[in-house]
Structures are given as structure tokens and as C-alpha cells.
Amino acid sequence: METNPPRSSTDVEGPSIRIAWKDEHSIQAEWSMTKEFEQEVEKKFAIPFAELPFVLRLFDVTDRKEIRDDGTDLYTDFDINHRSSEWILYGVTQGLEYCVDLGIRMVDGRFYSLSRSQMI
């Protein structure tokens, strides 16, 4: 389940994420978040930022061209370190199309997308 990114009445700028092919079997994801957005996320979830379970959700959008959130999207989650600002995603195939969400996956499986990349 995906929900809208946490926003406040101050409308703090959310994270940005970019992806690019590293080679024919991997994609490099890079993102950035402002300190203000980190504080908003921490406040929304009532969990210290360093303890939030961040993931990159890699979607295969080859046949669909969009994320439908209807339970049939093909994706793989990569657990990431909250201090990172880039990650290499392996297990992809050149010639297919992908996009990536930077998000938080709670213990009960709920997923909250904070930002979505372009499709490549």
C-alpha cells in the first residue's frame, strides 16, 4: 500500500531521486533530502529518523508503463542505510524499463513512498 508523502502545513520540500544505468546488470540510484524534510518525516512517524526502515522499491514497468498500486505491480525492495545518498541496485536487465521509489516500509509491510524517480 502506498500513500502520499508526509507533508506539513509548511510544505517542506521533499526528497528528489534520480536513477541511471550503471551497467547492463545494475542501476545507480541517487537521492537527497533536506534536514527540514527529515524532521517532518520523523514527526509524522514518531520514530527517530535514524531508526526508520528506508527502502528503495525497484519497479519493473516494462509492460505497464506506470505504477498502479493495485497489487499487481512487479517490484523488489532494497533495504538501505539512512545515511546513504546513493545505492547500486543489482538484478536488473538492460532492455527492460524501471523506476524507483524512495520510501519507508513499516514492520507490518505498509509502504510509504517519499519520492519516485523517472523511468529508464
Side-chain angles (χ1 to χ4, degrees):
M1 178 175 161
E2 187 175 15
T3 63
N4 292 329
R7 297 287 179 173
S8 74
S9 58
T10 58
D11 199 30
V12 174
E13 183 69 28
S16 63
I17 182 168
R18 295 159 308 286
I19 58 174
W21 287 99
K22 183 166 175 56
D23 58 41
E24 62 270 3
H25 300 293
S26 63
I27 290 174
Q28 182 167 352
E30 297 179 357
W31 61 92
S32 61
M33 261 186 263
T34 65
K35 288 293 182 192
E36 293 82 11
F37 188 78
E38 290 177 8
Q39 291 168 349
E40 288 294 319
V41 169
E42 195 172 77
K43 184 195 285 184
K44 173 165 176 67
F45 291 101
I47 299 172
F49 188 81
E51 295 176 22
L52 286 165
F54 285 97
V55 299
L56 292 176
R57 181 164 280 188
L58 173 71
F59 289 95
D60 178 346
V61 293
T62 306
D63 295 326
R64 297 180 71 144
K65 306 298 180 208
E66 64 182 18
I67 307 302
R68 296 187 186 151
D69 295 322
D70 62 1
T72 61
D73 294 313
L74 299 174
Y75 65 85
T76 303
D77 284 347
F78 294 83
D79 296 323
I80 60 173
N81 183 313
H82 76 281
R83 292 185 181 170
S84 296
S85 62
E86 63 181 57
W87 210 261
I88 305 296
L89 309 174
Y90 294 98
V92 295
T93 303
Q94 197 161 30
L96 299 182
E97 295 181 64
Y98 299 94
C99 73
V100 174
D101 276 11
L102 171 63
I104 298 169
R105 187 186 59 229
M106 302 308 274
V107 175
D108 64 5
R110 287 178 293 158
F111 180 77
Y112 299 92
S113 177
L114 302 175
S115 186
R116 179 166 290 156
S117 73
Q118 79 285 9
M119 292 185 194
I120 59 168

